[in-house]
Amino acid sequence: MATFGATTNTNPNKSFEVTPSPADSISSLSFSPRADILVATSWDNQVRCWEISRSGNSLASAPKASISHDQPVLCSAWKDDGTAVFSGGCDKQAKMWPLLSGGQPVTVAMHDAPIVDMAWIPGMNLLVTGSWDKTLRYWDTRQQTPVHTQQLPDKCYALSVKHPLMVVGTADRNLIVFNLQNPQTEFKRIVSPLKYQTRCVTAFPDQQGFLVGSIEGRVGVHHLDDSQQNKNFTFKCHRDGNEIYSVNALNFHPVQGTFATAGSDGAFNFWDKDSKQRLKAMSRCSQPIPAVRLTMMGRYMHMRRAMTGAKVQRITTRQLLKAASSCTCHRKARSRRSQE
């Protein structure tokens, strides 16, 4: 582990930026479920930790420590008791970092291709990882082999867990729903209601459905109960005239049930799916907001923009070059208006 210094920064929404910024684009943000501790993963191969403090209306961040992966880190997730954080990425491994005890990170999961998303499942005490190797793998962190490997129809792009519901988005616009009380069997497979590539998914807090976002600047709201299909709808967002931007991240407030979207236009917005209204539109930042995990915590939303604008580093392997060339974080996603 290593410590790192701090700098001063501002942004157009008058919120508080966590500093110092990583040397490359941030891929995920995860708040501890038990403390005001923020972890960020980034394309510079680093996992960084800050402690967030609040005094009145002011927030401050104190950098604590960092660890390294061999290649860019794409995702992170906390254990439900807040004792450890997990990270995974292009080195095809997931690490567990026991932050509370100050221990060193250990490898707890392996795949045959980059790990793009992960989640801790409190009801099962297992870590689930999704990869471009077209599998989900469930891990007991005390073992070196997965408890179960679930084949997917294509590469995993995103997953979300609200036990016992898990939703997985893959290539080819597949959305696969699992009941984690029977994780070895698909509960339902759905073709995305959106026409273009899935970018992110998040399950409803009440486990009754999920949201899906795509590169076409649109979000789909989907209920699982057949009797509630009339409540399903899609809506446009993260657009500026004829310019259409990718929806890179989605997440719900755990209490209020409202949700946030963040996109390649450098903006994030707050929405109410039940009233089908946008609650607040924030000012656009100077850089795209990448595919970070938006984390809502307690009575207020901890939501931080963390982008340096630095170019993605040169990746030497063919697979990672392909990933970088298809990444939508750093460019506008223009879809054909005639198909809308």
Side-chain angles (χ1 to χ4, degrees), residues 115-131:
I115 298 171
V116 295
D117 212 346
M118 57 173 47
W120 178 258
I121 309 175
M124 303 170 68
N125 288 320
L126 297 176
L127 176 71
V128 60
T129 53
S131 169

Side-chain angles (χ1 to χ4, degrees), residues 247-314:
V247 180
N248 288 334
L250 295 160
N251 210 348
F252 280 94
H253 188 287
V255 177
Q256 304 300 330
T258 53
F259 66 94
T261 63
S264 290
D265 55 351
F268 54 92
N269 300 312
F270 299 97
W271 310 84
D272 186 328
K273 67 176 177 61
D274 297 324
S275 63
K276 299 182 180 180
Q277 291 182 337
R278 184 169 66 179
L279 302 176
K280 187 172 180 62
M282 308 303 289
S283 299
R284 289 174 61 176
C285 301
S286 59
Q287 295 291 335
I289 300 178
V292 300
R293 185 188 307 275
L294 303 178
T295 304
M296 285 53 166
M297 178 180 175
R299 284 191 257 174
Y300 60 100
M301 294 186 179
H302 288 294
M303 186 170 182
R304 304 288 176 265
R305 170 185 171 267
M307 273 288 291
T308 64
K311 293 182 180 179
V312 174
Q313 65 188 68
R314 186 184 301 275

Side-chain angles (χ1 to χ4, degrees), residues 52-70:
I52 310 300
S53 58
R54 184 171 185 173
S55 177
N57 293 324
S58 296
L59 290 175
S61 61
K64 291 298 183 182
S66 66
I67 61 170
S68 298
H69 279 245
D70 295 331

